[in-house]
Amino acid sequence: MKVLVQDFSRDMLKPRNRLCEFQGVLQNSGSLKGWHWIQELKVLDENPANIKGLPILHSGFVDAHIHLSWMGEQLVSLQAPSFSTAEFLRDEFSKRFQNGTKEIEIAYNFQESLWLNGAQTPQNILAGLPKIQPWILFRLCGHRALVSEEVLRRSGLNPQAKSCEWVDGGKIFELYGWLEVQRAPKIADFVLRAQESLLLSGYSGVSDMAWDSGKVAAILNLHQDGKLLIDVAGVLLAGRAPEIEAKGPFWNEAGIKNSVTSLKTVVTCRHWKKFLDGSFGARTAWLSQPYSDAPDEYGRDLCEIRELIGEAESAMAAGFHLSFHAIGDSAIDRIIEVEEMLQNIVSSRRRMSVQQGLPATWHRIEHGQLIRPEQLEILAESKNWMICSQPYHRVMDQSFIKDRLGPDRMNDVYRFGSLNRGGLPAVLSSDGPIGSCRPEEVLKSVLNDERESERLSADQLLWLFTRGSRALIGLPDRSPLPGTFAWITEQA
């Protein structure tokens, strides 16, 4: 059977294809699409021209921004959002708070939430919770979580306040840390459940976001025990694992090949992450101009500049690359400001990995949903940054984004074509389980963009979601080779 094998090329925007003769063993009931054991792979043409319609053989999709434990938790219990499933709330909170039968109190507008799909209602979720405390709904950078009033008081928050102003960024992350500690014994099970689903969808690698000490320990233990079957590039959440921040980044390769993909999987942590703002849905994304549907609101600046400069400099001195959650354009301005003030160390750290014998990687901008043209030009010229984008967010946001930003700013959001043409590397990812992690939905969300100028070709998209993502986030190349498993994608 003839297939195209996508390869790296000097120009990231123009994937190079090799025409090959493929012989292999099907792994899924005769369907062409899926995992295959490669018995033979013979190159027929190193650079075929005008080849259309052939299946593409690659070593699997790579999701550059996903939450393994949250995704696995959602798969365990589909009755509630993954960050605070009904099962977790019953198991953990009910052990601690045994008295009180107050009414449930809601601190935010449910209609703005991106956690629930259209078929779910707040009542569906709340009905399954034990009425042992007044449960408070709050936002963590736009995402929702349900916690008890007692937990909020412990963190110094005022549960009686109704507006978003009571949500202090530092306090929320303290609370987030407390919740993560409670989930820690289950993290390994959640990761294995997520891995199973990802492998069935054709993923061979992920970048797992917001690591803390517990997640690092759980994933490294799974890797050491031979249970981790995908490559994992972790992103360390600032302040959540001080001992790892002090030691610096790491790169661990499995001792033996695993039985599923015939590869020695890698677990690495090379990026240090800081939240700069929130989300469009919660009007906490930090904008340079006010929200059109809330003229007095500009979003949230979650990190004071002097604190950010000090932390970023320390992280890079320890060997990490930077990763910033930035959705609004003012958050992008803050990133440009950081680079201007730390230009030498930002540039030297960007290039250091190659000198250390590791795959190259970039400093990361997570999401980058609103980028002005002059910002794109500055970031592309520096050659230090990539955008880790989630095309499916455009689909998730479509019911409210025009009201939030107004028509004049719509050309500057979700600009996948513009990013690539402007020379600013952009990798595809899902933000799963917040966004859909089904590869076909991620790809179609770009192919179906009503703005023709922002669409990418099917070849470019497949490359960006496979070997392109590997190249940009610093995972090892997985060229399809005889004696290994590879994934065949029927070309769109």
Side-chain angles (χ1 to χ4, degrees), residues 4-18 46-49 56 420 456-469 491:
L4 291 179
V5 176
Q6 285 200 322
D7 206 350
F8 289 113
S9 61
R10 291 183 180 274
D11 186 348
M12 288 187 177
L13 311 184
K14 298 178 181 178
R16 182 176 62 199
N17 292 325
R18 291 178 293 151
E46 285 287 355
N47 194 18
I56 293 180
N420 280 315
L456 300 174
S457 70
D459 279 352
Q460 287 176 325
L461 287 171
L462 283 172
W463 185 85
L464 284 171
F465 212 12
T466 54
R467 302 186 73 187
S469 285
Q491 191 173 23

Side-chain angles (χ1 to χ4, degrees), residues 15-223:
R16 182 176 62 199
N17 292 325
R18 291 178 293 151
L19 179 63
C20 296
E21 186 75 29
F22 163 78
Q23 291 185 9
V25 178
L26 298 172
Q27 297 297 309
N28 55 341
S29 66
S31 171
L32 177 62
K33 181 178 178 180
W35 289 105
H36 299 257
W37 177 269
I38 301 178
Q39 295 176 317
E40 185 176 346
L41 194 64
K42 180 182 179 181
V43 178
L44 301 177
D45 190 334
E46 285 287 355
N47 194 18
N50 301 320
I51 298 287
K52 299 284 185 182
L54 287 179
I56 293 180
L57 182 72
H58 51 75
S59 57
F61 295 108
V62 177
D63 196 321
H65 186 115
I66 201 168
H67 305 271
L68 280 175
S69 59
W70 295 6
M71 178 183 172
E73 187 177 357
Q74 187 175 60
L75 292 168
V76 168
S77 174
L78 298 178
Q79 304 303 312
S82 65
F83 183 71
S84 52
T85 63
E87 175 183 328
F88 167 59
L89 288 169
R90 290 192 187 98
D91 287 350
E92 300 300 333
F93 286 136
S94 63
K95 297 174 186 176
R96 292 167 171 75
F97 312 115
Q98 294 296 333
N99 44 36
T101 55
K102 298 179 181 178
E103 292 297 317
I104 293 172
E105 188 171 340
I106 299 175
Y108 279 89
N109 179 356
F110 276 104
Q111 300 307 315
E112 294 180 9
S113 174
L114 301 185
W115 272 110
L116 300 179
N117 62 40
Q120 293 176 304
T121 66
Q123 288 71 29
N124 294 145
I125 290 178
L126 297 179
L129 298 176
K131 290 185 174 59
I132 56 175
Q133 280 284 314
W135 296 95
I136 308 297
L137 182 73
F138 74 93
R139 288 189 179 278
L140 174 63
C141 288
H143 310 321
R144 268 185 359 191
L146 289 161
V147 298
S148 76
E149 181 177 315
E150 178 62 29
V151 175
L152 287 175
R153 293 190 191 283
R154 179 186 307 180
S155 294
L157 298 175
N158 176 13
Q160 301 303 319
K162 300 295 184 181
S163 74
C164 64
E165 294 307 313
W166 65 271
V167 181
D168 175 83
K171 295 291 185 182
I172 285 296
F173 279 104
E174 290 178 17
L175 183 57
Y176 167 83
W178 185 88
L179 289 167
E180 290 297 290
V181 169
Q182 310 311 309
R183 299 173 68 246
K186 300 183 179 181
I187 292 294
D189 291 338
F190 293 156
V191 169
L192 290 176
R193 186 66 63 92
Q195 175 181 254
E196 179 183 5
S197 177
L198 291 167
L199 282 170
L200 290 173
S201 298
Y203 285 98
S204 62
V206 300
S207 190
D208 189 21
M209 308 307 294
W211 274 10
D212 57 22
S213 298
K215 290 181 183 178
V216 172
I219 288 178
L220 287 179
N221 285 339
L222 290 174
H223 194 227

Side-chain angles (χ1 to χ4, degrees), residues 418-462:
S418 296
L419 292 173
N420 280 315
R421 286 192 304 275
L424 183 58
V427 295
L428 303 187
S429 59
S430 70
D431 202 9
I434 298 164
S436 172
C437 59
R438 295 178 59 186
E440 60 271 24
E441 291 187 355
V442 175
L443 297 173
K444 286 179 181 178
S445 64
V446 181
L447 290 171
N448 294 338
D449 196 319
E450 62 274 11
R451 303 166 299 177
E452 187 173 352
S453 63
E454 299 302 342
R455 299 174 199 160
L456 300 174
S457 70
D459 279 352
Q460 287 176 325
L461 287 171
L462 283 172

Side-chain angles (χ1 to χ4, degrees), residues 375-392:
Q375 293 175 321
L376 192 159
E377 184 176 346
I378 292 170
L379 292 170
E381 185 177 352
S382 81
K383 301 187 184 304
N384 288 321
W385 300 92
M386 70 172 184
I387 304 290
C388 186
S389 58
Q390 297 79 37
Y392 199 70

